[in-house]
Amino acid sequence: MKVEARLFDVTTAFFFLSAVIYGFWAKEPVGIVALILTGGLSLIIGSYFHFVARRMERRPEDNPDAEISDGAGEVGFFSAGSYWPVAIAASGGIAAVAIAFWQVWLLVIGLVLVLSAVGGLVFEYHTRPNATD
């Protein structure tokens, strides 16, 4: 996680430095505020990665002397045939169109569909703890 934290440290510094330079150069308040807020969001993510990196054991990505084979092994479980991401995208599109045209009834339907699709994705492989067949 230290690599990711360093990446966000660099982007945070870039955005804050850009805000200062933009402030002297353009003197336009909206762009300055946007760059400061972007730097703040980057700072939040970088701080989270620093926080998590202190509590994790060292990964091969954090070791400059690591070999490629050090990162071998099981990465995790990824569903190859899940249709739930498509459902999330479609229902998110419905919600976005509802916001664009400010159709509250369609927004309610879109949000219900988004929540249902996210629930389907999260619980796709969930089984009951004491399932008896």
Side-chain angles (χ1 to χ4, degrees), residues 1 9 27 46 55 57-59 70 74 91 101 104 106 117 123 125 129:
M1 293 303 256
D9 290 343
K27 300 197 186 320
R55 286 160 179 73
E57 63 185 47
R58 193 168 186 186
R59 300 180 310 163
D70 292 341
E74 184 176 336
S91 57
F101 292 110
V104 178
L106 188 58
F123 295 112
Y125 292 102

PDB file of all heavy atoms in Angstrom, residues 1 9 27 46 55 57-59 70 74 91 101 104 106 117 123 125 129:
ATOM      1  N   MET A   1       0.807  -1.192   0.000  1.00  0.00           N
ATOM      2  CA  MET A   1       0.000   0.000   0.000  1.00  0.00           C
ATOM      3  C   MET A   1       0.856   1.265   0.000  1.00  0.00           C
ATOM      4  O   MET A   1       0.333   2.339  -0.247  1.00  0.00           O
ATOM      5  CB  MET A   1      -0.911   0.016   1.223  1.00  0.00           C
ATOM      6  CG  MET A   1      -1.977  -1.058   1.209  1.00  0.00           C
ATOM      7  SD  MET A   1      -3.000  -0.972  -0.215  1.00  0.00           S
ATOM      8  CE  MET A   1      -4.447  -0.261   0.420  1.00  0.00           C
ATOM      9  N   ASP A   9       0.353  10.922  -2.772  1.00  0.00           N
ATOM     10  CA  ASP A   9       1.115  12.060  -2.236  1.00  0.00           C
ATOM     11  C   ASP A   9       1.603  12.955  -3.365  1.00  0.00           C
ATOM     12  O   ASP A   9       1.538  14.189  -3.264  1.00  0.00           O
ATOM     13  CB  ASP A   9       2.309  11.563  -1.417  1.00  0.00           C
ATOM     14  CG  ASP A   9       1.890  10.921  -0.110  1.00  0.00           C
ATOM     15  OD1 ASP A   9       0.743  11.129   0.311  1.00  0.00           O
ATOM     16  OD2 ASP A   9       2.727  10.205   0.479  1.00  0.00           O
ATOM     17  N   LYS A  27      -6.069  34.122 -11.788  1.00  0.00           N
ATOM     18  CA  LYS A  27      -6.899  34.911 -10.874  1.00  0.00           C
ATOM     19  C   LYS A  27      -8.393  34.661 -11.095  1.00  0.00           C
ATOM     20  O   LYS A  27      -9.212  35.579 -11.065  1.00  0.00           O
ATOM     21  CB  LYS A  27      -6.580  36.392 -11.006  1.00  0.00           C
ATOM     22  CG  LYS A  27      -5.144  36.709 -10.675  1.00  0.00           C
ATOM     23  CD  LYS A  27      -4.952  38.153 -10.403  1.00  0.00           C
ATOM     24  CE  LYS A  27      -3.525  38.542 -10.199  1.00  0.00           C
ATOM     25  NZ  LYS A  27      -2.658  37.718  -9.473  1.00  0.00           N
ATOM     26  N   GLY A  46      -4.873   9.452  -0.122  1.00  0.00           N
ATOM     27  CA  GLY A  46      -3.495   9.160   0.263  1.00  0.00           C
ATOM     28  C   GLY A  46      -3.354   8.919   1.752  1.00  0.00           C
ATOM     29  O   GLY A  46      -2.598   8.029   2.182  1.00  0.00           O
ATOM     30  N   ARG A  55      -0.736  -0.857   8.920  1.00  0.00           N
ATOM     31  CA  ARG A  55      -1.353  -2.004   9.581  1.00  0.00           C
ATOM     32  C   ARG A  55      -1.265  -3.295   8.770  1.00  0.00           C
ATOM     33  O   ARG A  55      -1.758  -4.314   9.207  1.00  0.00           O
ATOM     34  CB  ARG A  55      -2.804  -1.676   9.890  1.00  0.00           C
ATOM     35  CG  ARG A  55      -2.911  -0.720  11.050  1.00  0.00           C
ATOM     36  CD  ARG A  55      -4.224   0.005  11.089  1.00  0.00           C
ATOM     37  NE  ARG A  55      -4.319   0.893  12.220  1.00  0.00           N
ATOM     38  CZ  ARG A  55      -3.683   2.041  12.343  1.00  0.00           C
ATOM     39  NH1 ARG A  55      -2.874   2.443  11.389  1.00  0.00           N
ATOM     40  NH2 ARG A  55      -3.832   2.801  13.403  1.00  0.00           N
ATOM     41  N   GLU A  57       1.009  -6.189   6.482  1.00  0.00           N
ATOM     42  CA  GLU A  57       2.366  -6.696   6.291  1.00  0.00           C
ATOM     43  C   GLU A  57       2.882  -6.236   4.936  1.00  0.00           C
ATOM     44  O   GLU A  57       2.110  -5.868   4.050  1.00  0.00           O
ATOM     45  CB  GLU A  57       2.383  -8.209   6.396  1.00  0.00           C
ATOM     46  CG  GLU A  57       1.567  -8.903   5.328  1.00  0.00           C
ATOM     47  CD  GLU A  57       1.511 -10.391   5.520  1.00  0.00           C
ATOM     48  OE1 GLU A  57       1.264 -10.820   6.659  1.00  0.00           O
ATOM     49  OE2 GLU A  57       1.714 -11.111   4.533  1.00  0.00           O
ATOM     50  N   ARG A  58       4.180  -6.241   4.801  1.00  0.00           N
ATOM     51  CA  ARG A  58       4.803  -5.708   3.595  1.00  0.00           C
ATOM     52  C   ARG A  58       4.488  -6.598   2.393  1.00  0.00           C
ATOM     53  O   ARG A  58       4.669  -7.812   2.439  1.00  0.00           O
ATOM     54  CB  ARG A  58       6.302  -5.631   3.809  1.00  0.00           C
ATOM     55  CG  ARG A  58       6.992  -4.831   2.790  1.00  0.00           C
ATOM     56  CD  ARG A  58       8.393  -4.554   3.221  1.00  0.00           C
ATOM     57  NE  ARG A  58       9.004  -3.653   2.270  1.00  0.00           N
ATOM     58  CZ  ARG A  58      10.249  -3.302   2.299  1.00  0.00           C
ATOM     59  NH1 ARG A  58      11.027  -3.765   3.242  1.00  0.00           N
ATOM     60  NH2 ARG A  58      10.735  -2.489   1.402  1.00  0.00           N
ATOM     61  N   ARG A  59       4.037  -5.975   1.320  1.00  0.00           N
ATOM     62  CA  ARG A  59       3.713  -6.699   0.091  1.00  0.00           C
ATOM     63  C   ARG A  59       4.917  -6.683  -0.836  1.00  0.00           C
ATOM     64  O   ARG A  59       5.818  -5.852  -0.688  1.00  0.00           O
ATOM     65  CB  ARG A  59       2.530  -6.031  -0.621  1.00  0.00           C
ATOM     66  CG  ARG A  59       1.274  -5.990   0.195  1.00  0.00           C
ATOM     67  CD  ARG A  59       0.165  -5.322  -0.552  1.00  0.00           C
ATOM     68  NE  ARG A  59       0.607  -4.044  -1.103  1.00  0.00           N
ATOM     69  CZ  ARG A  59      -0.034  -3.400  -2.067  1.00  0.00           C
ATOM     70  NH1 ARG A  59      -1.112  -3.886  -2.586  1.00  0.00           N
ATOM     71  NH2 ARG A  59       0.419  -2.245  -2.518  1.00  0.00           N
ATOM     72  N   ASP A  70       7.702 -13.389  -6.301  1.00  0.00           N
ATOM     73  CA  ASP A  70       7.245 -13.121  -4.932  1.00  0.00           C
ATOM     74  C   ASP A  70       5.760 -12.778  -4.896  1.00  0.00           C
ATOM     75  O   ASP A  70       5.111 -12.957  -3.875  1.00  0.00           O
ATOM     76  CB  ASP A  70       8.043 -11.970  -4.317  1.00  0.00           C
ATOM     77  CG  ASP A  70       9.495 -12.351  -4.077  1.00  0.00           C
ATOM     78  OD1 ASP A  70       9.791 -13.556  -4.047  1.00  0.00           O
ATOM     79  OD2 ASP A  70      10.318 -11.420  -3.946  1.00  0.00           O
ATOM     80  N   GLU A  74      -2.543 -17.020  -5.272  1.00  0.00           N
ATOM     81  CA  GLU A  74      -3.937 -16.677  -5.469  1.00  0.00           C
ATOM     82  C   GLU A  74      -4.164 -15.202  -5.158  1.00  0.00           C
ATOM     83  O   GLU A  74      -3.763 -14.696  -4.117  1.00  0.00           O
ATOM     84  CB  GLU A  74      -4.815 -17.522  -4.554  1.00  0.00           C
ATOM     85  CG  GLU A  74      -6.277 -17.285  -4.764  1.00  0.00           C
ATOM     86  CD  GLU A  74      -7.140 -18.208  -3.918  1.00  0.00           C
ATOM     87  OE1 GLU A  74      -6.662 -19.274  -3.530  1.00  0.00           O
ATOM     88  OE2 GLU A  74      -8.276 -17.818  -3.664  1.00  0.00           O
ATOM     89  N   SER A  91     -28.997   0.504 -14.558  1.00  0.00           N
ATOM     90  CA  SER A  91     -29.816   1.217 -13.581  1.00  0.00           C
ATOM     91  C   SER A  91     -29.186   2.556 -13.205  1.00  0.00           C
ATOM     92  O   SER A  91     -29.901   3.531 -12.948  1.00  0.00           O
ATOM     93  CB  SER A  91     -30.041   0.350 -12.337  1.00  0.00           C
ATOM     94  OG  SER A  91     -28.794  -0.027 -11.766  1.00  0.00           O
ATOM     95  N   PHE A 101     -33.103  15.088 -16.494  1.00  0.00           N
ATOM     96  CA  PHE A 101     -34.398  15.662 -16.854  1.00  0.00           C
ATOM     97  C   PHE A 101     -35.272  15.970 -15.641  1.00  0.00           C
ATOM     98  O   PHE A 101     -36.401  16.401 -15.781  1.00  0.00           O
ATOM     99  CB  PHE A 101     -35.156  14.717 -17.804  1.00  0.00           C
ATOM    100  CG  PHE A 101     -34.503  14.612 -19.143  1.00  0.00           C
ATOM    101  CD1 PHE A 101     -33.868  13.444 -19.539  1.00  0.00           C
ATOM    102  CD2 PHE A 101     -34.502  15.688 -20.011  1.00  0.00           C
ATOM    103  CE1 PHE A 101     -33.257  13.340 -20.778  1.00  0.00           C
ATOM    104  CE2 PHE A 101     -33.899  15.606 -21.247  1.00  0.00           C
ATOM    105  CZ  PHE A 101     -33.274  14.431 -21.630  1.00  0.00           C
ATOM    106  N   VAL A 104     -38.583  12.944 -10.961  1.00  0.00           N
ATOM    107  CA  VAL A 104     -38.438  12.363  -9.627  1.00  0.00           C
ATOM    108  C   VAL A 104     -38.940  10.929  -9.597  1.00  0.00           C
ATOM    109  O   VAL A 104     -38.329  10.060  -8.961  1.00  0.00           O
ATOM    110  CB  VAL A 104     -39.154  13.244  -8.581  1.00  0.00           C
ATOM    111  CG1 VAL A 104     -39.058  12.623  -7.203  1.00  0.00           C
ATOM    112  CG2 VAL A 104     -38.571  14.642  -8.576  1.00  0.00           C
ATOM    113  N   LEU A 106     -38.898   8.760 -11.985  1.00  0.00           N
ATOM    114  CA  LEU A 106     -37.906   7.902 -12.627  1.00  0.00           C
ATOM    115  C   LEU A 106     -36.654   7.784 -11.764  1.00  0.00           C
ATOM    116  O   LEU A 106     -36.000   6.729 -11.737  1.00  0.00           O
ATOM    117  CB  LEU A 106     -37.562   8.447 -14.014  1.00  0.00           C
ATOM    118  CG  LEU A 106     -36.685   7.569 -14.907  1.00  0.00           C
ATOM    119  CD1 LEU A 106     -37.336   6.209 -15.133  1.00  0.00           C
ATOM    120  CD2 LEU A 106     -36.421   8.265 -16.227  1.00  0.00           C
ATOM    121  N   ALA A 117     -29.495  -3.930  -7.750  1.00  0.00           N
ATOM    122  CA  ALA A 117     -28.385  -4.503  -8.502  1.00  0.00           C
ATOM    123  C   ALA A 117     -27.126  -4.605  -7.653  1.00  0.00           C
ATOM    124  O   ALA A 117     -26.390  -5.592  -7.738  1.00  0.00           O
ATOM    125  CB  ALA A 117     -28.121  -3.673  -9.753  1.00  0.00           C
ATOM    126  N   PHE A 123     -24.328 -10.087  -2.913  1.00  0.00           N
ATOM    127  CA  PHE A 123     -24.768 -11.377  -2.392  1.00  0.00           C
ATOM    128  C   PHE A 123     -24.865 -12.460  -3.465  1.00  0.00           C
ATOM    129  O   PHE A 123     -25.541 -13.467  -3.271  1.00  0.00           O
ATOM    130  CB  PHE A 123     -26.122 -11.226  -1.699  1.00  0.00           C
ATOM    131  CG  PHE A 123     -26.050 -10.363  -0.476  1.00  0.00           C
ATOM    132  CD1 PHE A 123     -26.670  -9.128  -0.447  1.00  0.00           C
ATOM    133  CD2 PHE A 123     -25.340 -10.779   0.638  1.00  0.00           C
ATOM    134  CE1 PHE A 123     -26.597  -8.324   0.671  1.00  0.00           C
ATOM    135  CE2 PHE A 123     -25.254  -9.987   1.761  1.00  0.00           C
ATOM    136  CZ  PHE A 123     -25.883  -8.753   1.782  1.00  0.00           C
ATOM    137  N   TYR A 125     -22.779 -14.753  -4.482  1.00  0.00           N
ATOM    138  CA  TYR A 125     -22.257 -16.061  -4.080  1.00  0.00           C
ATOM    139  C   TYR A 125     -22.460 -16.325  -2.599  1.00  0.00           C
ATOM    140  O   TYR A 125     -21.806 -17.177  -2.021  1.00  0.00           O
ATOM    141  CB  TYR A 125     -20.776 -16.158  -4.441  1.00  0.00           C
ATOM    142  CG  TYR A 125     -20.563 -16.184  -5.924  1.00  0.00           C
ATOM    143  CD1 TYR A 125     -20.136 -15.053  -6.598  1.00  0.00           C
ATOM    144  CD2 TYR A 125     -20.831 -17.331  -6.654  1.00  0.00           C
ATOM    145  CE1 TYR A 125     -19.970 -15.063  -7.965  1.00  0.00           C
ATOM    146  CE2 TYR A 125     -20.660 -17.351  -8.018  1.00  0.00           C
ATOM    147  CZ  TYR A 125     -20.225 -16.217  -8.674  1.00  0.00           C
ATOM    148  OH  TYR A 125     -20.065 -16.234 -10.029  1.00  0.00           O
ATOM    149  N   PRO A 129     -25.424 -19.678   6.302  1.00  0.00           N
ATOM    150  CA  PRO A 129     -24.387 -20.330   7.107  1.00  0.00           C
ATOM    151  C   PRO A 129     -24.688 -21.783   7.432  1.00  0.00           C
ATOM    152  O   PRO A 129     -23.804 -22.615   7.414  1.00  0.00           O
ATOM    153  CB  PRO A 129     -24.307 -19.502   8.376  1.00  0.00           C
ATOM    154  CG  PRO A 129     -25.190 -18.333   8.188  1.00  0.00           C
ATOM    155  CD  PRO A 129     -25.974 -18.518   6.946  1.00  0.00           C
TER     156      PRO A 129
END
